[in-house]
């Protein structure tokens, strides 16, 4: 049985729905600190629990006879800058809970999300390599870099089968944006449909690695289903996709909504975005588990507008 912790989050929601489709509703248990959207809540077993509460998570693992856990609970970059100690506590203690359950053989496989936020100002910005200098300057990035070190340590020391992906900015329409620096690229679609204009909190030339959620979910499940002997990386895999600036995204939206306009009012999140890469080299993921993204910028734009339109109707 599969457990998704943080099932109501941006990735967790779509991951839960996709896994339930694939493995059967009753084989995928959703857990979060609060209830999720209607589609999620009606699609299978749900438990309220705090990801940092070891006993609560262990009880759920034993009760449902869980054998693999996707730990998707985290505080993202912008929010963690406002609450550093709460961000560190949530991101790290939830990981230790799940790694220790695996070490004690109470579960046999773990997925844990890292992020391009592990890279910092001294990291090569274009086609950032799998192995490179990483001096993250955000609480979130520091927690993800530390988490990667712990994942590799538990794999090497205790044989824990933990797998991880450094997600780029993820674009989706099924959940509201949740405190990410890349979430301008989600908000913009809501505004484009509602009022045909958007004020971007990142400047027009800020290129960031991005990915449509369907590609990210497919990559996650593909990695988890890859035979362990194929995996060379046990910290976290770089995952590329597309890379675009707010200006390029606005141009893509104008193809569908000609009267759409954008203006720019960078805030503290601009400082975070400037420490991150512009594009990612994911050749290791392509080699080890045959990764290939499918959504380019225009295909993603069309899918986002169609998905949101459907939700609004
Ligand atoms: C954030 N969406 O903005 C997340 C992600 C790479 C960015 O980690 O914090």
């Amino acid at each position: 049985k599969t457990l998704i912790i943080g099932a109501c989050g941006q990735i967790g929601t779509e991951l839960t729905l996709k896994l339930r489709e694939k493995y059967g509703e009753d084989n995928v248990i959703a857990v979060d600190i609060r209830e999720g959207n209607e589609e999620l809540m009606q699609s299978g077993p749900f438990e309220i629990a705090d990801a940092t509460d070891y006993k609560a998570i262990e009880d759920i693992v034993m009760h449902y006879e869980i054998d693999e856990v996707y730990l998707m609970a985290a505080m993202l970059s912008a929010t963690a800058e406002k609450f550093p100690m709460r961000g560190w506590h949530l991101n790290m203690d939830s990981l230790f809970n799940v790694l220790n359950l695996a070490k004690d053989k109470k579960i046999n496989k773990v997925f844990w999300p890292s992020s391009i936020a592990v890279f910092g100002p001294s990291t090569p910005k274009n086609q950032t390599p799998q192995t490179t200098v990483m001096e993250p300057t955000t609480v979130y990035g520091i927690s993800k870099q530390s988490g990667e070190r712990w994942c590799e340590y538990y794999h090497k020391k205790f044989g824990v089968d933990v797998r991880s992906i450094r997600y780029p900015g993820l674009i989706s329409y099924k959940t509201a944006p949740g405190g990410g620096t890349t979430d301008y690229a989600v908000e913009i679609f809501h505004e484009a449909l509602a009022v045909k204009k958007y004020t971007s909190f990142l400047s027009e030339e800020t290129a960031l690695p991005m990915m449509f959620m369907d590609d990210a979910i497919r990559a996650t499940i593909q990695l988890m289903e890859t035979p362990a002997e194929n995996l060379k990386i046990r910290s976290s895999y770089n995952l590329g996709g597309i890379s675009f600036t707010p200006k390029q995204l606005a141009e893509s939206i104008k193809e569908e909504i000609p009267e759409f306009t954008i203006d720019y009012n960078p805030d503290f999140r601009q400082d975070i975005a400037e420490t991150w890469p512009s594009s990612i080299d994911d050749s290791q993921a392509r080699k080890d588990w045959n990764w290939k993204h499918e959504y380019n910028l225009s295909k993603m734009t069309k899918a986002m507008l169609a998905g949101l339109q459907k939700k609004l109707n």
Side-chain angles (χ1 to χ4, degrees):
K1 293 246 179 95
T2 298
L3 179 65
I4 316 261
I5 304 174
C8 301
Q10 182 194 21
I11 306 172
T13 298
E14 305 219 28
L15 195 52
T16 304
L17 295 170
K18 189 59 82 183
L19 288 171
R20 282 177 169 166
E21 216 178 279
K22 205 171 161 66
Y23 301 150
E25 292 184 354
D26 291 339
N27 295 320
V28 181
I29 317 314
V31 171
D32 207 307
I33 195 106
R34 57 173 171 76
E35 292 206 345
N37 68 24
E38 201 179 330
E39 191 184 5
L40 175 78
M41 296 309 286
Q42 286 168 0
S43 67
F46 182 89
E47 297 283 348
I48 293 272
D50 177 340
T52 65
D53 177 347
Y54 180 82
K55 190 79 187 63
I57 299 300
E58 187 197 33
D59 286 351
I60 292 169
V61 163
M62 306 319 275
H63 173 72
Y64 287 95
E65 298 174 342
I66 299 294
D67 53 29
E68 62 175 21
V69 173
Y70 290 75
L71 170 55
M72 309 311 285
M75 188 183 288
L76 294 185
S77 59
T79 311
E81 288 307 295
K82 294 175 188 163
F83 310 103
M85 288 302 110
R86 274 171 50 192
W88 177 260
H89 166 58
L90 169 58
N91 294 2
M92 301 314 292
D93 289 355
S94 58
L95 177 59
F96 288 129
N97 288 344
V98 174
L99 288 177
N100 285 326
L101 283 167
K103 174 176 167 249
D104 299 344
K105 306 270 184 274
K106 290 175 181 160
I107 55 177
N108 348 306
K109 200 188 260 188
V110 175
F111 178 82
W112 179 75
S114 182
S115 160
I116 59 150
V118 295
F119 301 118
S122 57
T123 305
K125 272 204 177 310
N126 294 310
Q127 287 302 303
T128 300
Q130 172 67 44
T131 302
T132 183
V133 173
M134 293 159 61
E135 297 175 314
T137 56
T138 63
V139 170
Y140 176 73
I142 293 165
S143 76
K144 289 302 182 181
Q145 182 182 36
S146 314
E148 289 189 8
R149 298 287 94 236
W150 280 108
C151 288
E152 191 182 84
Y153 182 87
Y154 267 69
H155 175 71
K156 285 195 164 35
K157 240 17 203 183
F158 310 116
V160 167
D161 186 0
V162 51
R163 301 155 187 228
S164 178
I165 283 174
R166 290 170 182 156
Y167 288 119
L170 298 183
I171 319 281
S172 64
Y173 58 84
K174 288 198 176 165
T175 53
T181 299
T182 57
D183 287 336
Y184 86 89
V186 177
E187 294 173 358
I188 191 170
F189 287 102
H190 293 259
E191 301 294 299
L193 285 175
V195 293
K196 298 191 188 331
K197 67 182 174 64
Y198 180 63
T199 300
S200 168
F201 55 71
L202 296 187
S203 67
E204 64 181 310
E205 297 309 328
T206 307
L208 286 173
M210 297 280 196
M211 180 174 283
F212 186 51
M213 183 59 79
D214 288 19
D215 270 344
I217 300 298
R218 187 166 49 82
T220 307
I221 297 172
Q222 196 167 316
L223 173 57
M224 283 294 267
E225 293 185 342
T226 298
E229 57 273 13
N230 297 11
L231 302 181
K232 306 285 176 295
I233 301 289
R234 289 292 183 155
S235 49
S236 188
Y237 276 94
N238 272 9
L239 199 68
I242 42 188
S243 164
F244 55 75
T245 64
K247 185 162 179 249
Q248 289 166 325
L249 180 55
E251 290 309 313
S252 178
I253 291 173
K254 277 185 202 150
E255 297 287 308
E256 311 301 318
I257 307 177
E259 58 276 33
F260 175 70
T261 62
I262 183 168
D263 57 25
Y264 303 91
N265 182 21
D267 66 14
F268 75 100
R269 289 167 288 191
Q270 178 65 29
D271 301 333
I272 294 175
E274 283 177 5
T275 68
W276 290 348
S278 310
S279 61
I280 298 288
D281 168 5
D282 61 4
S283 46
Q284 188 78 45
R286 291 175 190 272
K287 192 153 67 69
D288 290 2
W289 41 283
N290 200 16
W291 166 245
K292 186 172 58 58
H293 75 276
E294 284 171 12
Y295 283 81
N296 62 20
L297 179 53
S298 72
K299 191 175 172 195
M300 182 194 75
T301 297
K302 290 184 176 70
M304 278 295 287
L305 291 172
L308 273 177
Q309 193 69 56
K310 208 163 62 214
K311 257 185 74 169
L312 295 173
N313 291 350

